[in-house]
Amino acid sequence: MPEVTFTLNGKATTATYETGETLLDVLRLGLGVTSAKNGCSQGYCGCCTVLVDERPALACQKDVNDVQGRSVTTLEGLPERARQVLASAFVAEGGVQCGFCTPGVAMRAYTLLRRGKAGDRESVARALDAHLCRCTGYRRIFDAVAAAGEAWETGALPDRPPRRPPRFADDRATSRGIGQRPGVGASAPRYRGEDLVLGTKPFVGDLRVPGMLHAAVVLSEHPRSRVASIDTEPALSRPGVVRVLTAADVPGERFVGLVVRDWPVFVAPGEETHCVGDVIALVVAETPTAARRAAAAVRVDGETLEPLTDPSIALEVGAPRVGPAGNLLESCTISRGDVDAALAASAHVVSARFTTQRIEHAFLEPEACLALPTTLTAGGENGVKVYSQGQGVHDEQAQIAAVLGVERGRVEVELVSNGGAFGGKEDLSIQGQTALAAWLLGRPVRCVLSREQSILLHPKRHPMVLDYTAGCDAEGRLTAVRARILGDSGAYASVGGKVLERAAGHSCGPYSVPAVDIEAKAVYTNNPPSGAMRGFGANQAAFAIEGVLDLLAERAGVDRYDIRERNVLRPGDRFATGQVMTASCGALAALQAVRDAYRSAAHTGIACGIKNTGIGNGLEDTGRVILRVLEGGALEVVTGFTEMGQGLFTILRQVVVHETGLDPAVIRVVARSEAAALSGMTTASRATALGSMAARRAAQALAADLRDHGPAELEGREYRGEYVCDFTVPPGARADNPVTHLTFGYAAQVVILDGDGRIEKVVAAHDVGRAVNPLSCVAQIEGAVHMGLGYALSEDLPCEKGRPRSLRLRDLGIIRASQVPEIEVILLEVPDEVGGYGSKGVGEIGLVPTAAAVASALAAFDGTRRTALPMRGTAAVTKRRGGRRVEAAAD
Ligand code: FES
């Protein structure tokens, strides 16, 4: 193999490489560098930023020969003081969430520190345009860079409150919780935050174990084709290839799925492919490069068929069948009152069609899995241990066990780190195939998807068509809503039926409507699968109902704020499903918190949001936590929920500290598929509400024992906490108060445009029930608003004949750092009766109203009502700091 010699972090280094490998490949595969991450290999995300001869460079774009004789510096090689300054600043300012992008960003920040530019927002924003962050919305990264710059100059670490402390609606001390004991209600520092910044907390793609093999997937080339044969010989004969797995190798269930088992881990000869993300084979080889090249040699023969891509056509009689029992995946209807009569008696009636687009989650960490064969039982039975980045260790465990055809206990799944998910890592991606490879070969196997494969494989946000007719009286009070919603669920069920169920439930937003007639259908097609994504159907419904409210306001001659205040849910009112709102309903409070902002400028838009917390709709919702006292009194917190940047592990540690008074330094948190921690999927903003309740119960039991014993005396003891919600009913259930959901979060957002119609500021008021960690809450909302602005203006994943037009990150329309407007978050706490400490969940609702608020602002600016997302080609692009405008949403 050829060799390259260069100076790495001050040391002369010689590394071997395979032809075509990049500097990033050599650093990560050959030299064990973990701070430089592989987010895209397309030169767009910035996660692999290093210094070459002291200048920032993207390692994925550097031919390894280019660094021969030169100096390469990674985050590991920075001076210790710079590392400390950067790590402390990012944690103190809330500039790190999932942490996958952060080492690359920190590397860039270091160059700004050295140039004395860290305090110059314009320079920082421009420099960060070379990076993608999908979690933070960038503004807390700007703060972190500025704080690091100050510390770099003064020599002191940034250990003060963040520059922009969380703000509460009632203007209580704005830095409440900062510097307190890191219990509930304090802005406690992120769990292992400094390790995330420095890249020393590994992700799955960073793990290496002795004897590890590497796997690469072979995906379908056609969205719909009948596979006749799969020829693996050309791959098997390539150097370094160990085995090629296909459908014939699956000993157990070949179909997996969270709700419907319709998704093959491998498509078998004789079957049809359903989308371009179908897995045909898995090539296992000694190196990733060998596996990837051999995967390209697998030959698939068959008949190419015309893909079914229109959900309306998919429902016609005689349409080719994509779903196992027909193309209608699920239909949800909700009916209350006499809608026809109510519309007939209404002073004003409007009808409109709204359309929303398919978008990609674009989490920065592509899917990855490491599986190891294990001997788990006393009887010597073998099993498999899976290191995952998925959203539910227990669901993964159950599905992998089914694929292997073994009982669940022989599979153990542990979360490593999760570099962002937003719903896109709920379904199995390559965990089943990778576990199977380790199981059959008796060797550790790791599979890491490329960015292109990641985009093809996981489900997207549903494109929907929403037809609304709604009426109001002369004062703008809603009388009735009729909605027909059609969602393209693509190739597999995933949780598509549940997303459309949620769209139906949230079809009237946070408004009281006396008569409703709602029908939502999820439909199979040969498009990429659609499934969970932050907001889970509520976003599409919010875009429609908020647009309808603006239209009615115009028709009735009522102000857009006033029409909302007249209709917004109050305690005692009914949600669309008929559920009666309790005293914890903070919808009105959220709306009133943005009233002044709405009235503060000539061109503003307003929208409200509601989002359920917890699964609800008749399904049991459980959170469980185990506290285990380890040697010397250290404490392990075991949960089944995933930390994916939302701050769950930080919160669980806060709860334990709050209840027990233990030092946070002795507490570690893990997500592992232990039966006693069974908690289900990390979805629906439920992890904090349910997990903190479960942790509280366990911690209170521990606290009782700590009254009489020191922690070390309790070594070996275990404390379990559980919270079960089993009182919800499905939508449409006949009950006086059909409680379809555990609880809800509420929001109101105002978008302020400048005189040229460009977004200047977003004000976001959110009732979170209880801000268990205020800084985390605010950071989550800022990141969500950034995502919501992209959804409104530019994000899209258009497909042609079932195939995404582009698999490049740069074509997804994600808003860059310099284009993010000012975002002001106002927290409200209307405590919830059931969520832990009153919490309601904040992860999803942050962007539920954003697109509608943008549409409302645009209509106020130019009088045109937009009913299709994204709102491209409009003037409503964001504004670059310092006055330079950037066409974020240009066609
Ligand atoms: Fe930036 Fe997650 S913290 S992508």
Side-chain angles (χ1 to χ4, degrees):
M1 284 170 91
E3 288 186 344
V4 60
T5 299
F6 56 98
T7 303
L8 175 61
N9 296 330
K11 287 198 188 122
T13 302
T14 298
T16 57
Y17 64 95
E18 291 185 55
T19 310
E21 285 186 345
T22 64
L23 172 60
L24 182 62
D25 295 325
V26 170
L27 289 174
R28 290 184 56 81
L29 302 172
L31 300 171
V33 168
T34 58
S35 67
K37 309 289 185 195
N38 188 349
C40 68
S41 279
Q42 298 174 352
Y44 194 67
C45 73
C47 294
C48 63
T49 301
V50 298
L51 301 182
V52 175
D53 290 344
E54 305 289 307
R55 294 175 63 85
L58 298 175
C60 77
Q61 298 300 296
K62 273 255 172 258
D63 187 311
V64 69
N65 287 305
D66 287 353
V67 298
Q68 175 70 36
R70 298 170 77 182
S71 159
V72 176
T73 308
T74 68
L75 202 50
E76 288 89 345
L78 294 191
E80 195 47 38
R81 189 169 83 84
R83 287 165 55 83
Q84 278 178 13
V85 160
L86 289 164
S88 317
F90 274 78
V91 172
E93 298 291 340
V96 55
Q97 290 190 27
C98 81
F100 196 83
C101 75
T102 320
V105 172
M107 204 67 200
R108 182 80 53 180
Y110 174 66
T111 65
L112 291 161
L113 300 190
R114 292 207 311 170
R115 288 166 47 215
K117 294 282 189 187
D120 173 4
R121 276 282 168 111
E122 175 73 4
S123 298
V124 173
R126 209 168 32 234
L128 290 178
D129 273 351
H131 296 260
L132 272 187
C133 174
R134 197 59 164 155
C135 298
T136 62
Y138 295 104
R139 295 182 54 78
R140 291 199 176 268
I141 294 181
F142 299 155
D143 295 343
V145 176
E150 265 176 28
W152 185 251
E153 299 294 328
T154 62
L157 287 181
D159 57 354
R160 52 168 185 70
R163 289 154 184 262
R164 291 182 300 118
R167 183 189 150 199
F168 288 83
D170 57 7
D171 278 333
R172 277 171 289 167
T174 53
S175 56
R176 186 174 62 139
I178 311 280
Q180 290 175 356
R181 187 183 68 150
V184 169
S187 289
R190 182 152 293 252
Y191 179 75
R192 295 201 62 185
E194 298 196 352
D195 293 337
L196 284 168
V197 177
L198 297 174
T200 51
K201 183 173 193 304
F203 291 82
V204 178
D206 299 324
L207 299 178
R208 301 200 302 179
V209 295
M212 184 171 81
L213 296 169
H214 300 265
V217 289
V218 178
L219 301 182
S220 169
E221 286 192 12
H222 306 287
R224 183 165 170 249
S225 63
R226 187 163 294 110
V227 176
S229 63
I230 302 165
D231 184 3
T232 59
E233 268 314 308
L236 274 168
S237 58
R238 291 187 66 91
V241 173
V242 176
R243 185 155 176 181
V244 181
L245 304 183
T246 63
D249 295 299
V250 178
E253 296 277 340
R254 192 160 52 81
F255 290 83
V256 295
L258 292 170
V259 180
V260 180
R261 291 198 166 186
D262 62 352
W263 201 327
V265 288
F266 294 109
V267 177
E271 293 175 347
E272 275 187 23
T273 61
H274 287 193
C275 66
V276 282
D278 273 331
V279 180
I280 304 288
L282 186 80
V283 176
V284 186
E286 297 290 347
T287 69
T289 303
R292 198 171 60 241
R293 288 180 178 161
V298 171
R299 278 183 53 86
V300 184
D301 288 322
E303 180 190 0
T304 304
L305 302 167
E306 185 66 19
L308 181 63
T309 57
D310 184 329
S312 303
I313 294 173
L315 290 178
E316 289 176 1
V317 177
R321 180 184 283 194
V322 180
N327 292 338
L328 179 61
L329 167 60
E330 194 172 316
S331 175
C332 174
T333 57
I334 301 169
S335 176
R336 281 191 297 112
D338 185 340
V339 168
D340 286 325
L343 288 175
S346 296
H348 306 283
V349 175
V350 297
S351 293
R353 166 169 284 195
F354 298 85
T355 58
T356 67
Q357 78 281 39
R358 172 185 299 103
I359 67 164
E360 155 65 20
H361 301 74
F363 37 74
L364 267 290
E365 178 205 22
E367 295 88 336
C369 178
L370 168 64
L372 287 78
T374 55
T375 302
L376 287 177
T377 65
E381 274 184 324
N382 61 337
V384 63
K385 170 138 189 183
V386 173
Y387 291 98
S388 175
Q389 38 68 74
Q391 283 183 241
V393 289
H394 290 100
D395 282 277
E396 290 175 60
Q397 177 194 38
Q399 291 182 85
I400 293 167
V403 170
L404 300 182
V406 300
E407 65 273 19
R408 195 172 174 150
R410 288 167 70 180
V411 176
E412 185 187 346
V413 181
E414 182 166 332
L415 176 77
V416 181
S417 291
N418 173 301
F422 314 112
K425 292 178 178 173
E426 288 188 17
D427 298 88
L428 281 194
S429 56
I430 31 83
Q431 296 96 319
Q433 296 90 340
T434 312
L436 176 62
W439 171 266
L440 293 176
L441 293 167
R443 286 179 66 178
V445 178
R446 193 182 72 187
C447 183
V448 182
L449 293 187
S450 68
R451 174 55 59 181
E452 293 81 0
Q453 291 167 337
S454 169
I455 292 175
L456 289 170
L457 245 156
H458 64 256
K460 314 297 170 210
R461 189 187 292 288
H462 278 74
M464 290 189 197
V465 177
L466 308 100
D467 287 308
Y468 271 61
T469 297
C472 69
D473 65 16
E475 281 78 44
R477 286 190 185 78
L478 287 164
T479 52
V481 170
R482 172 167 284 137
R484 297 291 177 264
I485 306 173
L486 189 63
D488 181 354
S489 272
Y492 297 109
S494 179
V495 290
K498 302 298 155 203
V499 171
L500 269 293
E501 201 175 74
R502 208 74 75 214
H506 290 69
S507 58
C508 297
Y511 303 110
S512 174
V513 185
V516 302
D517 168 19
I518 314 295
E519 182 184 75
K521 291 178 178 172
V523 182
Y524 282 102
T525 65
N526 290 120
N527 288 319
S530 302
M533 187 172 180
R534 200 176 199 176
F536 207 88
N539 313 41
Q540 294 93 327
F543 182 60
I545 186 66
E546 296 293 327
V548 162
L549 269 192
D550 278 4
L551 290 171
L552 284 172
E554 202 175 297
R555 204 61 80 77
V558 176
D559 177 78
R560 288 170 294 147
Y561 175 88
D562 293 338
I563 197 170
R564 285 171 171 81
E565 194 173 84
R566 277 169 209 176
N567 290 289
V568 77
L569 289 168
R570 293 159 169 84
D573 288 341
R574 288 183 187 273
F575 183 56
T577 61
Q579 178 169 352
V580 177
M581 296 287 105
T582 66
S584 68
C585 176
L588 176 63
L591 180 61
Q592 290 173 337
V594 299
R595 180 177 46 209
D596 292 348
Y598 169 73
R599 302 210 191 284
S600 68
H603 306 301
T604 57
I606 186 166
C608 296
I610 182 168
K611 180 65 187 64
N612 67 294
T613 303
I615 295 171
N617 283 350
L619 295 172
E620 186 176 293
D621 236 346
T622 307
R624 294 191 180 91
V625 163
I626 309 167
L627 304 184
R628 197 167 279 138
V629 186
L630 308 175
E631 191 180 352
L635 193 72
E636 182 179 64
V637 181
V638 184
T639 174
F641 290 127
T642 290
E643 165 63 67
M644 50 189 179
Q646 83 281 44
L648 174 72
F649 283 11
T650 310
I651 279 166
L652 293 181
R653 187 168 66 169
Q654 282 179 253
V655 169
V656 174
V657 169
H658 189 85
E659 298 295 341
T660 64
L662 286 173
D663 179 354
V666 305
I667 300 169
R668 75 164 192 238
V669 190
V670 297
R672 207 161 43 213
S673 60
E674 294 190 28
L678 185 64
S679 301
M681 192 59 66
T682 310
T683 185
S685 279
R686 60 201 281 269
T688 294
L690 300 177
S692 63
M693 181 65 97
R696 180 184 202 176
R697 289 176 175 169
Q700 285 174 342
L702 168 61
D705 281 359
L706 284 171
R707 279 184 215 118
D708 301 319
H709 304 277
E713 293 170 327
L714 300 175
E715 183 181 325
R717 295 226 192 148
E718 195 172 284
Y719 302 83
R720 295 181 181 183
E722 176 181 271
Y723 178 75
V724 180
C725 164
D726 55 4
F727 51 76
T728 66
V729 299
R734 302 227 165 272
D736 179 46
N737 178 13
V739 178
T740 47
H741 293 99
L742 169 75
T743 185
F744 301 90
Y746 305 91
Q749 294 185 358
V750 163
V751 167
I752 300 171
L753 305 185
D754 68 11
D756 295 326
R758 290 173 167 82
I759 297 174
E760 197 162 64
K761 183 175 178 181
V762 178
V763 181
H766 283 254
D767 167 25
V768 300
R770 176 82 191 274
V772 179
N773 184 315
L775 184 58
S776 258
C777 274
V778 171
Q780 278 277 296
I781 294 166
E782 288 181 16
V785 167
H786 165 259
M787 197 180 268
L789 290 173
Y791 187 50
L793 293 168
S794 50
E795 288 194 32
D796 203 356
L797 186 73
C799 290
E800 268 170 28
K801 289 186 172 278
R803 202 184 299 273
R805 265 192 227 153
S806 169
L807 299 176
R808 300 188 70 76
L809 276 183
R810 72 170 63 246
D811 295 330
L812 295 178
I814 298 168
I815 289 177
R816 308 299 306 224
S818 66
Q819 298 166 325
V820 180
E822 184 183 347
I823 302 169
E824 180 187 343
V825 177
I826 304 168
L827 295 177
L828 292 102
E829 293 184 315
V830 183
D832 184 68
E833 302 92 342
V834 287
Y837 302 93
S839 62
K840 295 172 177 171
V842 69
E844 290 199 287
I845 194 171
L847 71 160
V848 167
T850 311
V854 173
S856 174
L858 282 173
F861 180 75
D862 64 11
T864 303
R865 165 59 47 186
R866 283 124 181 121
T867 55
L869 294 180
M871 296 176 277
R872 292 181 204 274
T874 69
V877 294
T878 51
K879 189 175 174 183
R880 173 170 264 186
R881 227 165 306 284
R884 270 179 62 199
R885 288 166 189 148
V886 177
E887 293 287 321
D891 273 316

